[in-house]
Amino acid sequence: TAAGSRCLLLLLILLLLGVLGAPALGDPGPLEDVVIDRYYIPKICLREAQMGDFIRYHYNGTFKDGKKFDSSYDRGATVAGVVGVGRLITGMDRGLQGMCVNERRHLIVPPHLGYGSIGVAGLIPPDATLYFDVVMLDIWNKNDKLQITTLSKPERCNRTVENSDFVRYHYNGTLLDGTPFDSSYSKGSTYDTYVGTGWLIKGMDQGLLGMCAGEKRSIIIPPFLAYGEKGYGTVIPPQASLVFSVLLVDFHNPKDGVFLEHLEVPESCKRRAVTGDFVRYHYNGTLMDGTLFDSSYSRNQTYNTYIGKGYIIPGMDQGLQGVCVGEQRRVVIPPHLAYGENGAGDKIPGSAVLIFDVHFIDFHNPADPVEIETVFRPEGCNVTTRDRDFVRYHYNCSLLDGTRLFSSHDYEKPQEVTLGANKVIEGLNTGLLDMCAGERRVLIVPPHLGHGESGARGVPGSAVLRFEVELISMEEGVPEGYLFIWHGEPPANLYEQMDLNKDGGIPADEFSTFIKTQVAEGKGRLMPSSDPEKVIADMFRNQDRNQDGKITPDELKLKSDEDQEKIHEEL
């Protein structure tokens, strides 16, 4: 067939070539151009070497028999130069073009693209074919600019880095081929410096601009914006592009003041805190990257202090000015108004910006009186409470943030107290004065008129208290030290009138009957109490001086007479 004839003809030709000594398939003979074998191509190739690019590479050079004639590895230094402009042998110039960083190539360079018929004396013989094994390490161009890639960025960014700012950042530094040369993480501390003042290589000075605290960037810096022709020590070769993976931890400017962000302000704010006030607040303290360094919530106790007097860091002294009770604000404090270059302990690094999220519970001034707000006052209010009056009242007591503490409504009866008898805190006693029955008030009691710095059971130290009080009833009192007073002059023959059966002694029942009669007839009044019988019993015990169960004429003395005798004794 025709197909069979063609196959037979092809076989005869192959046999003839073999007899005539034609080159075998493994020996291509003299090459016209460089042979390129791209035996490793990286998955990611951001850039290929083009004519006029600066490149940096390693290579081994051998002859066909494998004998090595040159190696950059043996010299311990990469080769750097411009590709495609005649500074390399033509075969290498052609063979390196189009390479990616980390790509590996085998190049076969024929003599006319290498050192030709002359060779290199003592190194490369004439008409030698050269074999190169090349790995590309770096590619850049003098027209290159920084390559900045934002890897992540926080949602909130009130400010970005500017020249003259002081920054704290972590970084990993590698060459373009991925070889690491430095890392702040390995040192366990951030790199801290000023931006735009010449303390950094130019590329990093530029690459940090516009960053937010918490932002991550990849910054690729060409050599002329890094360490250039000299490189740096043994870790950064000459003409090396640098890749920095940067996390900006925080930054500030030496001219910065305290920055305030009002997160929540109460609708009503009758008064704002000023220097000299004593404040109680909860807070979370974090670094700019969100790391928590302290919290009052974890201790379940407010932080209590004076503001504007140097008891706290200057930034907080400033940041707490003008606060309202119940307000929540964020206070951002630069290090020169916090703990400076040295930091504090093992949780606040040197030169750290601090962020306090603060919730103000209450504040007061040591000179504050009780604040009294009359909510309701009955019409025709002519009789009001005075010192020593006996009052019955209902109350609700809470902290200024609304935390409920106590309430008389939890009991069957209203609260009862004699005003001025030191039975209630001073602020409540003051707030109950000059009230009418049925009147309602709101009292704000500062701690020095409440339970003081130590507090009480269920009451935090230095707490401002809020009372809602309603006066239910009141009874006119008697002067301090008296259990009974006459409305007029006492009877001239008091003992005889008190001795009802005229037996020369006054037992408890006669005494009680007499006193009750005087009260009933409006001639005198007892110290008000929920138990009049106890008051009368106390009066009897005071008069029964030898405690024999009856009062004799010598024992019966009026309180006014006793007081006069004491004055004479003192004189």
Side-chain angles (χ1 to χ4, degrees):
T1 63
S5 299
R6 285 197 296 271
C7 289
L8 181 60
L9 179 60
L10 179 61
L11 179 61
L12 291 173
I13 293 172
L14 291 175
L15 290 173
L16 181 61
L17 289 173
V19 171
L20 295 176
L25 293 178
D27 184 4
L31 299 175
E32 294 183 3
D33 202 352
V34 61
V35 176
I36 300 173
D37 176 14
R38 304 178 71 184
Y39 71 90
Y40 175 74
I41 302 174
K43 292 181 179 180
I44 299 176
C45 182
L46 300 178
R47 177 175 183 171
E48 296 180 348
Q50 303 294 326
M51 185 179 297
D53 283 344
F54 287 80
I55 59 173
R56 197 167 52 79
Y57 60 95
H58 262 310
Y59 73 92
N60 282 318
T62 63
F63 299 119
K64 182 177 181 180
D65 60 2
K67 181 181 178 181
K68 184 166 39 176
F69 63 83
D70 193 14
S71 172
S72 62
Y73 296 99
D74 294 346
R75 294 192 297 275
T78 56
V79 178
V82 182
V83 67
V85 293
R87 296 182 184 178
L88 302 170
I89 59 173
T90 304
M92 186 66 86
D93 247 352
R94 294 180 183 179
L96 294 177
Q97 291 189 44
M99 284 191 79
C100 306
V101 171
N102 286 325
E103 182 178 342
R104 294 177 179 270
R105 289 184 177 184
H106 286 304
L107 307 179
I108 304 176
V109 179
H112 66 280
L113 299 179
Y115 294 97
S117 59
I118 299 176
V120 177
L123 182 64
I124 298 175
D127 298 318
T129 299
L130 306 179
Y131 295 77
F132 292 94
D133 189 18
V134 182
V135 56
M136 183 64 67
L137 301 177
D138 201 341
I139 304 169
W140 58 279
N141 194 287
K142 60 183 178 181
N143 295 320
D144 284 349
K145 297 181 180 180
L146 287 180
Q147 297 180 49
I148 298 175
T149 305
T150 299
L151 305 177
S152 66
K153 194 171 185 177
E155 293 182 4
R156 294 170 57 88
C157 184
N158 295 325
R159 176 181 160 190
T160 60
V161 174
E162 299 175 0
N163 281 324
S164 80
D165 282 343
F166 188 88
V167 296
R168 295 197 310 118
Y169 62 93
H170 271 302
Y171 68 90
N172 286 317
T174 66
L175 303 180
L176 204 59
D177 68 341
T179 302
F181 61 81
D182 195 12
S183 173
S184 64
Y185 295 99
S186 65
K187 301 180 180 69
S189 62
T190 55
Y191 191 81
D192 307 343
T193 188
Y194 288 92
V195 173
T197 57
W199 291 27
L200 293 165
I201 57 174
K202 291 181 180 179
M204 189 61 88
D205 254 346
Q206 298 175 21
L208 294 173
L209 294 175
M211 286 192 79
C212 304
E215 182 177 343
K216 292 182 180 179
R217 280 184 178 181
S218 172
I219 305 172
I220 301 178
I221 305 175
F224 55 85
L225 294 176
Y227 294 98
E229 297 179 1
K230 296 182 178 180
Y232 186 81
T234 59
V235 293
I236 298 178
Q239 301 290 21
S241 300
L242 306 182
V243 181
F244 288 93
S245 177
V246 177
L247 168 62
L248 185 63
V249 175
D250 76 8
F251 68 97
H252 72 280
N253 196 283
K255 298 178 181 179
D256 283 348
V258 173
F259 175 77
L260 299 180
E261 185 177 352
H262 301 278
L263 304 177
E264 184 176 329
V265 180
E267 292 182 5
S268 175
C269 183
K270 295 180 180 179
R271 173 180 161 190
R272 297 179 180 272
V274 296
T275 293
D277 283 343
F278 190 88
V279 297
R280 295 196 315 123
Y281 58 93
H282 271 303
Y283 70 90
N284 285 320
T286 62
L287 305 178
M288 283 191 82
D289 64 355
T291 301
L292 182 72
F293 63 80
D294 194 15
S295 174
S296 64
Y297 296 99
S298 65
R299 297 187 289 274
N300 196 30
Q301 184 176 353
T302 56
Y303 191 82
N304 308 334
T305 187
Y306 289 94
I307 61 171
K309 290 191 169 186
Y311 292 128
I312 47 181
I313 56 175
M316 191 61 92
D317 250 350
Q318 296 177 26
L320 301 183
Q321 297 283 337
V323 69
C324 299
V325 170
E327 181 177 344
Q328 296 183 44
R329 64 169 58 171
R330 177 167 292 154
V331 185
V332 182
I333 305 176
H336 53 273
L337 296 175
Y339 294 99
E341 296 180 4
N342 297 324
D346 58 354
K347 292 188 176 182
I348 300 179
S351 300
V353 176
L354 306 184
I355 300 176
F356 290 91
D357 283 333
V358 185
H359 180 203
F360 294 90
I361 304 302
D362 64 29
F363 66 89
H364 72 282
N365 194 283
D368 283 348
V370 176
E371 292 183 30
I372 300 174
E373 179 187 354
T374 299
V375 178
F376 172 75
R377 190 177 180 94
E379 294 183 5
C381 175
N382 298 319
V383 180
T384 59
T385 53
R386 295 180 299 174
D387 198 39
R388 307 302 302 171
D389 283 353
F390 182 77
V391 297
R392 293 180 178 85
Y393 62 98
H394 271 304
Y395 73 93
N396 292 314
C397 177
S398 64
L399 301 178
L400 290 192
D401 65 353
T403 302
R404 183 179 183 274
L405 298 180
F406 313 106
S407 175
S408 63
H409 296 282
D410 294 337
Y411 305 94
E412 295 181 359
K413 297 180 180 180
Q415 187 80 3
E416 298 177 341
V417 71
T418 297
L419 298 177
N422 296 320
K423 299 298 183 181
V424 294
I425 57 175
E426 184 178 348
L428 179 57
N429 191 95
T430 300
L432 290 170
L433 292 173
D434 197 33
M435 286 189 78
C436 300
E439 183 174 343
R440 295 194 300 272
R441 288 179 173 179
V442 172
L443 312 176
I444 306 298
V445 179
H448 54 274
L449 299 176
H451 292 286
E453 294 182 7
S454 301
R457 185 176 181 181
V459 180
S462 300
V464 178
L465 303 180
R466 184 181 189 273
F467 286 91
E468 297 173 350
V469 295
E470 179 182 7
L471 187 64
I472 305 302
S473 65
M474 62 179 177
E475 297 177 37
E476 188 178 2
V478 297
E480 185 175 0
Y482 285 76
L483 297 176
F484 174 87
I485 62 170
W486 299 96
H487 291 160
E489 290 294 325
N493 53 348
L494 177 60
Y495 188 85
E496 287 76 5
Q497 291 191 32
M498 199 174 288
D499 184 8
L500 300 180
N501 62 5
K502 310 304 180 185
D503 64 352
I506 304 171
D509 57 342
E510 283 188 349
F511 182 84
S512 177
T513 299
F514 177 81
I515 294 299
K516 289 178 180 178
T517 301
Q518 304 307 302
V519 172
E521 294 176 355
K523 296 178 181 179
R525 69 176 185 273
L526 287 167
M527 180 188 80
S529 170
S530 57
D531 188 359
E533 295 291 347
K534 183 178 182 302
V535 176
I536 295 174
D538 288 343
M539 291 175 64
F540 180 80
R541 278 194 298 273
N542 289 343
Q543 296 296 325
D544 183 14
R545 303 178 192 281
N546 61 7
Q547 304 298 307
D548 63 354
K550 63 181 179 179
I551 301 171
T552 64
D554 292 337
E555 290 177 322
L556 184 64
K557 293 181 180 179
L558 296 175
K559 180 76 168 59
S560 57
D561 294 336
E562 291 179 349
D563 292 343
Q564 193 63 35
E565 287 180 2
K566 288 181 180 179
I567 292 174
H568 288 308
E569 288 173 2
E570 291 172 358
L571 290 175

